């Protein structure tokens, strides 16, 4: 047990350092961008496009903040606006698919997934889901009643306080990462050494096979589903090194997880917005499963085509 703890601690610290080198500078830069004309410029740029989602121009604010920063920033912005239940639900679904793009896309690259795949899936799902819900749902016209959540944030003046605040946010991001990743890696190491991980992988085998992946991807999926992309990436990086998870399986796992990750946290945090959260969860899970199965099917067909041609030529 002590050996497992030490090994897990070592891996956890190494993974935190690996991901921290990405998360700290990106968080720092984005925190500074909040106090420049760049974010307002982006908001003004996309505000006219909001009508295709059935949203007012103001809805561009939570979308931009959620995608540049995180889903909490998006929710904070929603709380400052008077929106209908339908508008809030559309924003919640879009933000659940596409948020924190800079950090989570950087993590994907570190794992070995191509940037264009992550961006295409996340932004594509957000756009398509927003359009479909707007066209299909005829209700939700009443004004959303928000819960007891504050959205106010201290207004900073002067570049020194702004820089200090940005460094604090970046450091807090690393601390939160360490608090999750290090214990997670210790637990994973203990499960590995006691052969429990193999049993878990066996239980998950039917699901991972249905999604077009091998059994050794199950730990990655579980970590991402429970803890999110950035934290699940820690397990994923280790799995690629130790378990021989293929590039195809890593990509499929990330496609699944960009659509559906941190299901407990990312579902519960929308409750104060006064919207039905169960449909939000169901949409994410169903879309993730269908999308991953479709991509896996197409990938398998494409892999089989060259072999068929080679067989035909040899004959």
């Amino acid at each position: 047990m002590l050996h497992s703890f030490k090994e897990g601690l070592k891996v956890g610290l190494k993974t935190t350092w690996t991901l921290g080198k990405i998360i700290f500078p990106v968080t720092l830069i984005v925190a500074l961008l909040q106090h420049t004309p760049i974010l307002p410029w982006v908001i003004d740029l996309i505000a006219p496009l909001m009508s295709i989602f059935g949203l007012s121009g103001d809805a561009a604010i939570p979308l931009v903040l959620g995608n540049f920063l995180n889903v909490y920033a998006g929710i904070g912005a929603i709380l400052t606006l008077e929106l209908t239940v339908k508008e809030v639900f559309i924003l919640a679904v879009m933000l659940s698919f596409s948020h924190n793009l800079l950090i989570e896309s950087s993590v994907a690259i570190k794992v070995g997934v191509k940037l264009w795949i992550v961006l295409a899936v996340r932004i594509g799902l957000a756009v398509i889901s927003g359009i479909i819900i707007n066209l299909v749902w005829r209700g939700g016209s009443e004004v959303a009643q928000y819960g007891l959540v504050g959205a106010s944030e201290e207004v900073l003046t002067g570049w020194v306080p702004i820089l200090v605040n940005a460094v604090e946010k970046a450091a807090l991001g690393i601390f939160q990462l360490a608090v999750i990743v290090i214990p997670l890696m210790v637990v994973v190491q203990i499960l590995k050494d006691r052969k429990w991980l193999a049993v878990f992988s066996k239980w998950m085998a039917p699901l991972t096979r249905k999604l077009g992946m091998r059994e050794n991807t199950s730990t990655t999926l579980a970590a991402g589903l429970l803890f999110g992309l950035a934290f699940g990436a820690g397990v994923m990086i280790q799995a690629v090194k130790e378990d021989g998870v293929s590039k195809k399986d890593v990509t499929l796992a990330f496609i699944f997880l960009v659509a559906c990750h941190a299901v407990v946290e990312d579902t519960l945090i929308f409750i104060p917005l006064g919207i039905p959260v169960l449909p939000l969860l169901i949409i994410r899970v169903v879309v993730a499963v269908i999308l991953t199965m479709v991509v896996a099917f197409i990938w398998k067909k494409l892999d089989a085509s060259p072999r068929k041609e080679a067989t035909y030529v040899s004959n």
Side-chain angles (χ1 to χ4, degrees):
M1 178 72 85
L2 184 61
H3 173 74
S4 299
F5 179 83
K6 286 180 179 178
E7 283 298 310
L9 184 63
K10 186 166 69 174
V11 171
L13 288 169
K14 188 176 179 182
T15 304
T16 301
W17 172 250
T18 300
L19 296 176
K21 286 187 293 184
I22 299 168
I23 291 173
F24 186 89
V26 172
T27 305
L28 183 66
I29 291 167
V30 173
L32 291 173
L33 284 177
Q34 284 182 274
H35 303 278
T36 71
I38 294 176
L39 286 185
W41 176 77
V42 175
I43 289 168
D44 291 340
L45 191 67
I46 72 167
L49 303 176
M50 292 298 96
S51 59
I52 66 173
F53 308 116
L55 300 172
S56 62
D58 288 345
I61 300 170
L63 278 182
V64 170
L65 291 180
N67 280 284
F68 265 82
L69 301 172
N70 52 49
V71 74
Y72 297 101
I75 290 173
I78 290 172
L79 293 170
T80 65
L81 304 172
E82 186 175 302
L83 301 168
T84 65
V85 170
K86 180 178 178 179
E87 286 179 304
V88 175
F89 185 77
I90 289 171
L91 283 171
V93 173
M94 291 179 73
L95 285 173
S96 68
F97 285 131
S98 176
H99 59 264
N100 205 8
L101 283 180
L102 298 180
I103 287 180
E104 293 184 350
S105 298
S106 301
V107 167
I109 294 170
K110 188 67 180 178
V111 172
V113 181
K114 293 185 182 299
L115 176 63
W116 72 266
I117 293 176
V118 177
L119 292 179
V121 172
R122 300 195 74 183
I123 296 173
L125 287 177
V127 170
I128 293 168
S129 64
I131 293 171
I132 291 175
I133 294 170
N134 178 42
L135 293 174
V136 172
W137 190 15
R138 297 301 177 191
S141 58
E142 65 276 14
V143 176
Q145 300 298 315
Y146 305 134
L148 300 174
V149 180
S152 60
E153 189 173 318
E154 183 186 356
V155 178
L156 299 173
T157 55
W159 280 107
V160 173
I162 288 172
L163 182 59
V164 170
N165 180 257
V167 172
E168 285 176 354
K169 283 185 177 179
L172 181 61
I174 301 300
F175 175 74
Q176 290 174 330
L177 179 74
V179 166
I180 296 290
V181 167
I182 293 174
L184 181 61
M185 289 302 185
V186 170
V187 171
V188 168
Q189 189 64 45
I190 292 171
L191 291 175
K192 277 183 181 177
D193 292 347
R194 290 178 175 264
K195 310 297 183 187
W196 293 343
L197 210 54
V199 175
F200 175 73
S201 295
K202 201 170 183 179
W203 289 345
M204 290 279 290
L207 174 61
T208 50
R209 279 200 298 269
K210 284 283 185 186
L211 294 173
M213 291 171 270
R214 284 167 35 195
E215 296 174 21
N216 57 359
T217 321
S218 59
T219 311
T220 296
L221 283 177
L225 277 169
L226 293 174
F227 299 104
L229 275 183
F231 304 134
V235 175
M236 194 179 293
I237 289 170
Q238 200 60 22
V240 171
K241 288 180 183 176
E242 295 183 358
D243 301 337
V245 177
S246 68
K247 194 165 186 177
K248 176 186 174 183
D249 287 348
V250 167
T251 304
L252 289 175
F254 236 87
I255 287 173
F256 181 90
L257 291 175
V258 294
C260 184
H261 60 268
V263 288
V264 177
E265 179 188 356
D266 281 3
T267 302
L268 295 180
I269 58 175
F270 286 109
I271 289 177
L273 297 181
I275 59 170
V277 292
L278 184 59
L280 174 65
L281 175 61
I282 292 171
I283 288 170
R284 293 184 73 196
V285 173
V286 170
V287 168
V289 170
I290 293 173
L291 178 64
T292 309
M293 290 177 71
V294 168
V295 173
F297 176 78
I298 294 171
W299 200 324
K300 187 177 179 180
K301 287 290 183 184
L302 291 174
D303 283 347
S305 296
R307 287 198 293 270
K308 285 181 181 177
E309 289 175 12
T311 304
Y312 178 77
V313 170
S314 64
N315 290 335

